[in-house]
Amino acid sequence: AFCLQPDVSSGNCWPLQGHEGQVVIRLPAEILPTSVTVQHIFKELSPSGTVSSAPRDIAVFGVDVDGEEEVPLGSFTYDIGKEAMQTFPLEV
């Protein structure tokens, strides 16, 4: 498993401004990902009592072997009514 941030406690996040955002992650070696896991705080643990800041529609892209063109790997919707940690398969 690969974790971008080992401390996933409340308040340790990547806040984004507005309703859309983009995160780019550059890895030191080529990988072939098979899934992506998204985790958001439980509603009960949220200081605001809501999870309205949770991501919704997510698209994941990689780059081709030359590192030049984006390749779509999958699109999915994070459902705030389900578990806080959700894993989605990628098209590889």
Side-chain angles (χ1 to χ4, degrees):
F2 176 73
C3 183
L4 296 175
Q5 187 168 325
D7 183 1
V8 293
S9 59
S10 177
N12 289 315
C13 60
W14 294 342
L16 302 173
Q17 295 293 325
H19 296 286
E20 293 184 17
Q22 194 172 19
V23 176
V24 176
I25 301 164
R26 297 189 191 277
L27 301 176
E30 184 178 313
I31 65 166
L32 184 60
T34 56
S35 63
V36 64
T37 299
V38 178
Q39 181 177 3
H40 194 269
I41 189 172
F42 284 107
K43 181 179 177 179
E44 296 78 22
L45 298 177
S46 173
S48 67
T50 68
V51 288
S52 61
S53 64
R56 302 271 188 313
D57 297 318
I58 300 169
V60 176
F61 293 85
V63 292
D64 64 7
V65 292
D66 298 324
E68 296 179 11
E69 290 191 43
E70 289 187 352
V71 178
L73 298 177
S75 296
F76 46 88
T77 300
Y78 181 88
D79 185 345
I80 62 172
K82 293 185 177 179
E83 295 294 320
M85 184 183 293
Q86 299 172 32
T87 299
F88 304 93
L90 297 176
E91 301 163 14
V92 290

